[in-house]
Amino acid sequence: MDVRAQIVMAFHLDKCIGCHTCSLACKNIWSDRRGTEYMWWNNVETRPGVGYPRGWEDQERYRGGGVAEGKNVNLKSMGKGRTLASLFFQPNLPRIEDYYEPFDYDYGNLAGAPEGDDQPVARALSQVSGQPIEHIQGSANWDDDLGGSRLYAASDPNLPDAAIVESYATMFMQYLPRICNHCLHPSCVASCPSRALYKRGEDGVVLVDQNTCRGWRFCISACPYKKVYFNWKSGKAEKCIFCYPRVETGQVNACAQSCVGRIRFVGVLLYDADGVAEALLQKDADLVEATRALILDPKDREVQKAAAKNGVSEQWIEAAIGSPVYALVKEFRLALPLHPEFRTMPMTYYIPSLSPVLSTMGDTYRLMEKGTISLPETLRVPVDYLARLLAGGNRGIVEEVMRKLYAVRVFMRGENLGQPADPAILQQAGLDREGALRLYRLFTIAGFNERNVIPPQQREGQTPELRKQEAGFGILQRVKSERNDLTRRGGKDD
Amino acid sequence: MNTFIFVALPYLVLALLFLVTIYRYLTNRLTWSAYSTELLERRLLYWGSNPWHYGIIPLLLFHLVPFLFPGLAAGFLGNQQTLLVLESLGLGLALLALLGILILTLRRVNTAMLKRSTYFSDWLILFLLLVQVGSGVYIAVALRWGSLWYLHAAVPYFWSIWSANPQPEYLADLPAVVKVHAACAFLILGVLPFTKLVHLLYLPIDFLKDQPILYRWRGRE
Ligand code: SF4
Ligand code: SF4
């Protein structure tokens, strides 16, 4: 048993209101530099839809993620020999149009235009070329709220039947916020010929070493979630850094901190690193269970001992015990990984949204009466859809989650009305009174420090020799991230 | 003139190559990149970058082998048949590289998306490489059996440079186009550490032997 710690985010999709506050918080801190305009390390997409970049789930096109071949999980993209042969042209790389050509407006013209007969306008300008854009072709959320669109929604590869979104009676819509999943078996890391990407041993955060990256671009297509981006200005890859400068000091990620719907939970999971490769060889439908099996109970003495032996501090073990993410993922089995069948073992988890029941009047009545969903088929968001998104196609797993979510709701309704619900409802869903109350609390009134349990890392204690003789002062090095070789700019900076 | 091209220039270039490259490596690795523009334009890049690299890399090796293993090269070049094969192969690769670099240059000129990610240094090396490959093709076509006199004139000259006893006489009487080819080669090496050409100094081969997933622990190497 090789026990390691991973810092993990979980999302309660029911509560996401699609406000994009998270995306903006992230962008303002990390990706508002030249070359990163088109990057959204955190993005929120409307589902069903094609997402950002367009069609990222289509691995026949981008060839991201892993495939189980015999006793190994190999990259879907290419082997090592072909990697070397593709250095000069990487065949699976998305084009900027697959994201979108970033734009800004010529606001200066509003105030500075010469006098004339017409109102001056602010034209859209490309942030890549600086040229005017006549027709903006897209953005990171161009299909926002278009859950019924033939152009976008109907192309969602997870839809069991595209006709669903075309009829008013059956169409549905929900939001899916996405960050880098900081996977346990990250294919971005595996694909890098320069070995610039790495997973941090202490907290599992996956990072790109900007000093080592040479811009070969394999990680960008190898990540099945398209969460590594290419900075066209610096010529290097960049990605979500799980706000490590904040998380290291016990603060919450910018996206989670700013989340309006308070849908995000951040906490520590302990897992068995020895089992990862084996677990990834399972069939698609068994991957969720295999992942759950790797997550260890932090209260178990043996686990604690093994963790301590690996250098996991007491504070971290404590945080793992109080981790809301552990409760949601393992204890209550509610939060599911996004597309586990991409075989990178993603470490962000989603509680699927509890959707209304699509029904004739009788069904709704029965639901109110009996308090449970008689048939998962009656859910407005097709269970098959969620299963393809979050469970490798395994309906049973999603149905179990739905039963629990309904049971909590029915139970709490009874409590609030003073007409306690039939205890069998909780029991059938695999919950008890105490558990239901805990979930209710986590989903509704839990405060900031209950939703986010982040232990500080005390880096100074881990490598004291690095700080010796600095007397509290480090040496500040100016970062030169822009090209300054024999160069003059090709275009004017705005 | 000969002294400048064949004595001063090579030493200047060697000094730049070693000192600037090491300085840049130690102080600013953040700009050490191939500066790919594939994200912004990929259709022409495919037809430019592939022929260019697949042409120029074997050609560079062809230039390097006689320098390092003169005996081996003499064996191949001494034989009429292998000489013919090698010369035609070289010409073919040179034409491939020429096609590639032409497409890459036109691509830079014509693609609006690349305007802001193209620098003076990019134009400079495109120009130098065009001259270099162009003169190389001309030599291969007009002055036959170049590989033979390369072995017998250029290689001893390179060794004389390397052993700090420059003997420009070896090359002094060669046609002007050969001198252009040589001077341009030195220039390319000289500007290399200032441009994105540094990407060729780093071969990404570590991953061939590594485990797929790389971990880094603080305080551990
Ligand atoms: S989601 Fe993140 S860690 Fe996983 S493969 Fe993509 S970039 Fe790598
Ligand atoms: S801030 Fe929260 S509620 Fe708003 S879009 Fe992001 S995840 Fe959803």
Side-chain angles (χ1 to χ4, degrees):
Chain A
M1 195 158 58
D2 180 3
V3 181
R4 295 186 189 173
Q6 167 90 28
I7 186 123
V8 179
M9 195 179 285
F11 304 72
H12 192 342
L13 293 184
D14 234 349
K15 297 168 69 182
C16 181
I17 57 172
C19 62
H20 300 273
T21 308
C22 45
S23 305
L24 288 176
C26 174
K27 190 153 207 46
N28 282 335
I29 296 189
W30 302 121
S31 62
D32 63 345
R33 293 156 289 130
R34 179 163 290 291
T36 65
E37 300 92 343
Y38 80 95
M39 298 179 195
W40 294 86
W41 295 357
N42 178 107
N43 76 296
V44 183
E45 47 204 44
T46 299
R47 285 317 178 112
V50 289
Y52 157 84
R54 251 170 257 189
W56 60 270
E57 288 152 300
D58 180 2
Q59 304 311 341
E60 290 317 306
R61 167 151 181 227
Y62 297 118
R63 308 203 67 76
V67 280
E69 288 169 342
K71 284 202 174 346
N72 293 312
V73 185
N74 295 331
L75 289 178
K76 187 176 173 73
S77 53
M78 55 184 91
K80 293 181 171 177
R82 246 196 92 199
T83 298
L84 278 183
S86 308
L87 283 178
F88 321 126
F89 184 85
Q90 213 270 83
N92 311 318
L93 195 78
R95 302 162 305 158
I96 185 89
E97 299 85 33
D98 293 321
Y99 303 89
Y100 68 102
E101 188 174 349
F103 50 86
D104 200 348
Y105 295 94
D106 183 9
Y107 294 111
N109 191 46
L110 296 182
E115 220 176 282
D117 295 338
D118 305 311
Q119 284 277 17
V121 292
R123 287 221 277 173
L125 299 175
S126 161
Q127 285 177 304
V128 178
S129 66
Q131 307 292 313
I133 300 184
E134 289 307 325
H135 298 286
I136 294 171
Q137 299 294 331
S139 82
N141 61 336
W142 206 238
D143 56 342
D144 218 25
D145 292 359
L146 295 182
S149 147
R150 281 207 192 133
L151 208 60
Y152 297 101
S155 316
D156 189 319
N158 307 298
L159 276 180
D161 173 9
I164 295 176
V165 301
E166 295 186 357
S167 144
Y168 190 68
T170 53
M171 113 190 2
F172 67 99
M173 188 193 94
Q174 55 180 223
Y175 300 108
L176 181 70
R178 298 200 298 123
I179 62 171
C180 160
N181 303 299
H182 299 277
C183 309
L184 290 192
H185 194 83
S187 50
C188 57
V189 174
S191 72
C192 174
S194 295
R195 312 267 69 192
L197 286 111
Y198 60 98
K199 191 167 173 67
R200 296 212 299 194
E202 292 81 7
D203 55 7
V205 173
V206 175
L207 296 174
V208 186
D209 182 339
Q210 294 291 314
N211 274 322
T212 313
C213 174
R214 301 279 177 266
W216 300 124
R217 321 176 291 295
F218 292 96
C219 52
I220 291 153
S221 49
C223 167
Y225 303 93
K226 292 294 155 289
K227 280 295 170 188
V228 195
Y229 302 87
F230 187 76
N231 181 328
W232 56 265
K233 183 79 200 322
S234 72
K236 306 218 171 188
E238 292 187 19
K239 64 181 286 300
C240 159
I241 57 176
F242 208 78
C243 283
Y244 75 82
R246 296 170 60 90
V247 172
E248 275 175 7
T249 51
Q251 302 174 72
V252 180
N253 317 51
C255 53
Q257 171 112 36
S258 63
C259 178
V260 172
R262 308 205 299 182
I263 83 159
R264 300 187 184 218
F265 303 84
V266 184
V268 174
L269 292 182
L270 298 180
Y271 69 97
D272 180 9
D274 275 342
V276 173
E278 178 82 36
L280 284 170
L281 297 175
Q282 308 295 319
K283 286 202 301 290
D284 285 0
D286 300 334
L287 281 168
V288 173
E289 284 303 350
T291 310
R292 282 175 180 157
L294 288 181
I295 297 170
L296 302 169
D297 180 1
K299 290 202 191 95
D300 183 336
R301 287 260 170 255
E302 290 304 309
V303 171
Q304 291 180 359
K305 250 191 267 166
K309 211 179 90 218
N310 264 357
V312 179
S313 73
E314 231 167 84
Q315 272 174 311
W316 273 64
I317 295 175
E318 230 167 77
I321 293 173
S323 167
V325 177
Y326 179 79
L328 296 175
V329 173
K330 177 93 177 191
E331 227 179 307
F332 292 109
R333 300 160 56 84
L334 285 176
L336 307 173
L338 180 61
H339 282 301
E341 76 279 12
F342 291 165
R343 285 194 170 67
T344 59
M345 204 158 280
M347 279 290 127
T348 56
Y349 289 87
Y350 295 86
I351 302 176
S353 49
L354 165 103
S355 62
V357 172
L358 252 191
S359 63
T360 55
M361 245 167 59
D363 288 335
T364 317
Y365 172 73
R366 271 194 294 283
L367 175 79
M368 303 291 284
E369 186 78 336
K370 308 205 9 204
T372 43
I373 19 171
S374 38
L375 291 169
E377 280 78 47
T378 56
L379 289 176
R380 181 151 197 135
V381 182
V383 169
D384 274 328
Y385 180 79
L386 293 172
R388 287 185 198 182
L389 203 62
L390 298 170
N394 189 333
R395 287 179 59 99
I397 287 180
V398 175
E399 281 169 16
E400 182 196 332
V401 175
M402 288 301 164
R403 281 216 182 79
K404 285 184 179 157
L405 292 175
Y406 266 96
V408 171
R409 177 171 280 202
V410 172
F411 167 75
M412 281 314 299
R413 182 169 183 270
E415 294 293 293
N416 286 337
L417 295 178
Q419 305 166 341
D422 182 356
I425 288 171
L426 280 182
Q427 214 175 27
Q428 277 159 12
L431 287 171
D432 55 14
R433 194 187 153 77
E434 198 193 339
L437 284 171
R438 227 175 111 206
L439 283 177
Y440 161 74
R441 187 175 168 82
L442 267 178
F443 292 168
T444 53
I445 50 179
F448 194 81
N449 293 329
E450 263 175 281
R451 282 181 281 121
N452 308 292
V453 180
I454 300 179
Q457 298 200 6
Q458 294 177 317
R459 299 187 60 156
E460 63 282 7
Q462 284 165 333
T463 44
E465 65 281 2
L466 281 184
R467 306 197 171 243
K468 232 171 17 192
Q469 296 179 337
E470 281 180 359
F473 295 99
I475 295 172
L476 197 63
Q477 219 190 348
R478 218 181 114 230
V479 175
K480 287 180 265 171
S481 65
E482 304 240 310
R483 291 176 71 176
N484 55 2
D485 52 330
L486 268 197
T487 50
R488 212 176 309 134
R489 298 197 63 85
K492 199 161 52 82
D493 239 339
D494 43 5
Chain B
M1 192 63 196
N2 279 335
T3 333
F4 175 71
I5 295 182
F6 293 120
V7 182
L9 197 56
Y11 284 111
L12 185 69
V13 159
L14 281 178
L16 281 177
L17 189 61
F18 281 102
L19 297 179
V20 177
T21 307
I22 291 170
Y23 176 77
R24 182 165 169 185
Y25 185 80
L26 292 179
T27 60
N28 189 7
R29 244 169 291 172
L30 284 178
T31 60
W32 204 294
S33 164
Y35 286 103
S36 161
T37 47
E38 186 178 347
L39 175 78
L40 305 177
E41 198 289 331
R42 59 180 284 152
R43 201 171 48 87
L44 286 170
L45 183 74
Y46 178 83
W47 295 106
S49 179
N50 278 332
W52 164 250
H53 284 96
Y54 282 111
I56 203 69
I57 291 173
L59 278 177
L60 275 177
L61 292 179
F62 281 180
H63 282 72
L64 212 61
V65 168
F67 178 65
L68 296 176
F69 313 102
L72 181 76
F76 276 107
L77 297 177
N79 177 327
Q80 189 70 40
Q81 266 141 8
T82 43
L83 175 66
L84 196 64
V85 170
L86 281 177
E87 284 263 323
S88 351
L89 193 63
L91 180 59
L93 289 170
L95 287 173
L96 198 65
L98 185 65
L99 173 80
I101 197 77
L102 273 173
I103 292 177
L104 288 178
T105 311
L106 291 175
R107 168 178 180 268
R108 287 275 173 186
V109 173
N110 289 325
T111 312
M113 283 294 259
L114 300 183
K115 285 257 154 61
R116 281 171 158 192
S117 43
T118 306
Y119 298 79
F120 173 70
S121 68
D122 298 334
W123 293 120
L124 180 73
I125 54 176
L126 276 174
F127 174 74
L128 289 176
L129 292 172
L130 261 177
V131 173
Q132 187 65 6
V133 181
S135 60
V137 169
Y138 179 82
I139 292 171
V141 175
L143 314 169
R144 245 182 297 160
W145 316 132
S147 44
L148 261 186
W149 56 252
Y150 178 79
L151 177 68
H152 295 302
V155 169
Y157 159 73
F158 287 140
W159 275 109
S160 76
I161 292 286
W162 187 244
S163 49
N165 173 27
Q167 289 168 323
E169 308 83 77
Y170 278 116
L171 300 179
D173 296 330
L174 287 171
V177 58
V178 179
K179 289 183 186 163
V180 169
H181 195 68
C184 194
F186 290 139
L187 280 180
I188 292 172
L189 283 180
V191 300
L192 185 144
F194 300 95
T195 65
K196 69 176 183 182
L197 281 183
V198 286
H199 75 273
L200 68 87
L201 296 178
Y202 179 88
L203 294 183
I205 45 177
D206 294 349
F207 79 115
L208 293 177
K209 60 170 177 19
D210 281 5
Q211 287 293 309
I213 308 299
L214 180 71
Y215 285 92
R216 282 200 202 168
W217 299 80
R218 269 194 295 282
R220 292 191 213 169
E221 253 322 295

